Amino acid sequence: MENKLGRELPSTLLEKLDFKPFTTTEIGHPIVQRTAPKVRLSTGDDKVTNDLKQIVKDNVKDGMTISFHHHFRNGDFVFNQVMKEIMAQGIKDLTLAPSSLTGAMNDVAIEAIKNGTVTNITTSGMRGSLGDEVSHGLLPNPVIFRSHGGRARAIENGDIKIDVAFLGVPNSDRCGNANGMYGDEAFGSLGYALMDANYADKVVLLTDNLVDYPNTPASIKQTQVDYVVEVDQVGDPDKIGSGATRFTKDPKNLKIANLVSDVITKSSYFKDGFSFQTGSGGAALAVTRYLRTAMVNKNIHASFGLGGITKPMVDLLEEGLIGKLMDVQDFDKTAAQSMKNNLDQQEIDASWYADPDNKGAMVDQLDVSILSALEIDTDFNVNVLTGSDGVIRGAVGGHQDAATAKLTIICAPLVRGRIPSVVKSVGTAVTPGSSIDVLVTERGIAVNTNRPELKEELSNVPGLNVYTIDELADMAQQIVGQEADLQFTDRTVGLVEYRDGSIIDAIKEVKD
């Protein structure tokens, strides 16, 4: 079975799981039915405990779906504490449904798969040893990869039904009012965890900072929470920015960032009141700094910035160059601190951010998005999930979601070492090429053929060397040579959803 992109999909598996192949990025205006969680009535006086063992025993059963958030990133302590207790009690056949899996979770997740505690995973991404093991067939069933907006849609529509959500928070009162802004381990927005708190049948908060009642502002509310578990430590916020986020000093990436800024500022979208989102890659983050100079010089102010919030975006807010920051997650300490202190930095949940099945998501209002890529092919399809070796080493994240902007720019080096970024066909299609408008590399840019007016606009800009994307792919191949084809088995280890729930690609098991 092939989908609209020509990607080969396992028809028997899709029929078994009731998935449909990807056809279009157009969502339309369907009427959908929201789901609702079960509720255990409580006065709120019996929620606090330090007995995680008993909470797991009473609430987690074989075959359930459990969830976690990834706002602590590589500093997360909650996942390992909970999963070790679950394994100790011999619970089996669980589905893990975290917003994403970070390196801090890898060793315990691998152990849980090997002993049969976990048999299914749905997530935005995975990296490191876990990605490698799953790519080589460790998990008995394929991972379902979803974008942040796609996960919100799946939770709200009931495609993901969370039995128990274990949510680490840096503070909570005795009834479960909590936020991510206060405490020694504050990380800012709880945007992804808010979906779990809204829709899980049981919500268990874990905290090392029990505060006086009532705790405000309350991102997670006592009406949603079943238990508050006191633990020694929930995480290390010093490692929040140690994963996907990095501020580049690489000359190649800085050149790309400068060129991206030129593309934006020379386009018709760069005008007073424009909106934008940057990705988490080094070059994508650096764009904000170059953009600031152009905004100051031309006296242009942005209406809002969206997505993962970083220090450069906070700087724009504090300088008055941007009106609002719509914050679903914070990538560094400055951003986390700012949300506490600045009312113009608004916490949003993943549904408000990017669910395609609600009454209007923030991404629908985006003018410009700047995103990174592991690979982009000559049809402008983008891979942010698997490496050149076929191994899972990334995340869908908000890539598909933000690519709905009026001007979507992919920034990537032409090659990374001996690995081409611009290829004839991506290893895994995550974001469809019809969503992408411009590719920016250090060698030059390419404009999607479905945007002839944009190509004409940019072709006359000094310093912007405009090529076809086929020409850039040929340049990359001349540098690295012809690579040998990867070898895979027939087994599917991952299915990649588009944001509407259709399957955009399948990931095959890497042959040893």
Side-chain angles (χ1 to χ4, degrees):
M1 176 192 295
E2 284 191 356
N3 63 17
K4 194 71 172 179
L5 296 185
R7 312 298 293 193
E8 189 65 36
L9 304 177
S11 55
T12 302
L13 184 60
L14 261 63
E15 290 170 8
K16 177 183 176 183
L17 299 176
D18 196 26
F19 283 123
K20 291 180 169 53
F22 169 80
T23 57
T24 178
T25 59
E26 297 298 321
I27 303 299
H29 303 283
I31 296 174
V32 298
Q33 178 62 56
R34 289 284 190 249
T35 188
K38 297 175 184 176
V39 176
R40 177 181 69 93
L41 302 188
S42 169
T43 62
D45 294 330
D46 58 346
K47 292 184 181 181
V48 178
T49 178
N50 60 7
D51 193 348
L52 179 61
K53 179 178 181 179
Q54 191 64 44
I55 294 298
V56 168
K57 181 179 179 181
D58 291 343
N59 295 280
V60 183
K61 309 298 178 186
D62 291 354
M64 281 188 167
T65 295
I66 62 173
S67 72
F68 302 83
H69 68 71
H70 72 288
H71 287 289
F72 282 120
R73 303 188 180 280
N74 285 336
D76 188 279
F77 294 166
V78 170
F79 179 87
N80 290 346
Q81 291 180 70
V82 173
M83 290 306 301
K84 286 178 180 179
E85 183 55 49
I86 287 173
M87 286 189 286
Q89 295 191 25
I91 298 166
K92 303 294 183 182
D93 196 29
L94 296 180
T95 295
L96 278 185
S99 52
S100 199
L101 288 160
T102 70
M105 307 170 183
N106 283 355
D107 290 346
V108 172
I110 290 169
E111 183 183 353
I113 295 169
K114 286 181 175 179
N115 66 27
T117 299
V118 171
T119 53
N120 290 278
I121 297 176
T122 175
T123 184
S124 171
M126 58 180 64
R127 296 174 172 85
S129 56
L130 178 60
D132 188 70
E133 290 277 10
V134 170
S135 298
H136 287 87
L138 178 67
L139 192 69
N141 298 302
V143 179
I144 309 300
F145 290 100
R146 295 179 166 99
S147 73
H148 292 320
R151 179 179 188 263
R153 175 201 53 76
I155 290 173
E156 291 185 304
N157 293 358
D159 295 337
I160 299 175
K161 184 56 186 172
I162 302 170
D163 294 296
V164 187
F166 293 94
L167 306 177
V169 289
N171 61 74
S172 175
D173 63 28
R174 58 183 172 79
C175 291
N177 297 299
N179 62 65
M181 294 179 282
Y182 294 88
D184 293 338
E185 296 147 327
F187 50 76
S189 175
L190 269 163
Y192 299 131
L194 298 180
M195 300 308 303
D196 308 60
N198 271 327
Y199 287 94
D201 281 348
K202 296 282 182 68
V203 175
V204 180
L205 299 188
L206 293 91
T207 189
D208 53 16
N209 182 26
L210 203 61
V211 300
D212 290 341
Y213 178 88
N215 182 29
T216 61
S219 302
I220 295 174
K221 303 169 185 64
Q222 65 187 71
T223 55
Q224 302 166 311
V225 176
D226 294 274
Y227 304 101
V228 179
V229 181
E230 286 190 277
V231 295
D232 292 336
Q233 194 171 6
V234 291
D236 180 359
D238 287 335
K239 296 183 179 179
I240 288 175
S242 64
T245 55
R246 60 197 184 280
F247 293 102
T248 185
K249 296 180 180 178
D250 179 76
K252 183 189 293 186
N253 279 337
L254 291 174
K255 181 178 181 181
I256 293 170
N258 199 10
L259 290 173
V260 171
S261 179
D262 285 345
V263 169
I264 296 168
T265 58
K266 303 304 181 184
S267 76
S268 59
Y269 300 102
F270 189 62
K271 56 188 177 183
D272 219 42
F274 84 106
S275 59
F276 71 97
Q277 174 175 332
T278 61
S280 59
L285 287 171
V287 171
T288 309
R289 295 175 175 179
Y290 287 108
L291 204 55
R292 175 196 171 276
T293 301
M295 293 171 73
V296 170
N297 290 341
K298 295 189 177 184
N299 195 29
I300 285 179
H301 299 77
S303 57
F304 70 88
L306 180 62
I309 305 303
T310 60
K311 182 182 184 300
M313 295 180 79
V314 170
D315 291 342
L316 293 181
L317 180 68
E318 292 179 348
E319 289 181 74
L321 291 171
I322 190 168
K324 306 280 184 181
L325 293 179
M326 307 304 284
D327 186 348
V328 72
Q329 63 175 325
D330 294 293
F331 283 140
D332 54 55
K333 282 185 174 182
T334 300
Q337 184 75 12
S338 174
M339 199 183 82
K340 177 176 69 175
N341 297 330
N342 198 323
L343 293 177
D344 287 325
Q345 186 169 335
Q346 170 68 50
E347 182 179 46
I348 62 174
D349 65 28
S351 178
W352 190 357
Y353 167 58
D355 181 355
D357 280 6
N358 65 23
K359 298 180 181 182
M362 288 299 305
V363 293
D364 299 329
Q365 306 302 317
L366 264 181
D367 291 314
V368 179
S369 64
I370 306 105
L371 305 170
S372 53
L374 293 173
E375 293 178 317
I376 181 170
D377 67 23
T378 51
D379 290 322
F380 283 85
N381 300 313
V382 177
N383 172 20
V384 289
L385 196 53
T386 57
S388 61
D389 55 0
V391 172
I392 299 163
R393 57 178 76 255
V396 182
H399 204 279
Q400 297 171 346
D401 305 313
T404 59
K406 297 180 181 70
L407 175 61
T408 298
I409 302 168
I410 298 297
C411 54
L414 193 67
V415 299
R416 293 180 173 92
R418 301 295 299 175
I419 299 171
S421 300
V422 189
V423 296
K424 299 296 183 183
S425 179
V426 290
T428 303
V430 174
T431 301
S434 59
S435 298
I436 309 304
D437 300 301
V438 183
L439 164 66
V440 177
T441 75
E442 78 282 7
R443 293 290 190 93
I445 74 169
V447 182
N448 199 319
T449 54
N450 64 15
R451 296 297 306 272
E453 82 292 349
L454 184 61
K455 183 176 182 180
E456 183 177 353
E457 198 171 42
L458 297 176
S459 292
N460 299 318
V461 177
L464 287 182
N465 298 315
V466 181
Y467 298 94
T468 68
I469 196 165
D470 292 275
E471 289 173 329
L472 290 176
D474 289 340
M475 285 184 203
Q477 188 170 317
Q478 288 170 11
I479 294 171
V480 302
Q482 184 66 45
E483 293 194 318
D485 291 337
L486 297 176
Q487 298 298 309
F488 299 95
T489 73
D490 292 333
R491 184 179 169 212
T492 299
V493 296
L495 292 173
V496 186
E497 279 194 6
Y498 186 60
R499 53 200 304 263
D500 66 351
S502 62
I503 300 301
I504 197 166
D505 210 348
I507 302 171
K508 293 297 184 180
E509 178 186 14
V510 176
K511 188 178 290 186
D512 290 328

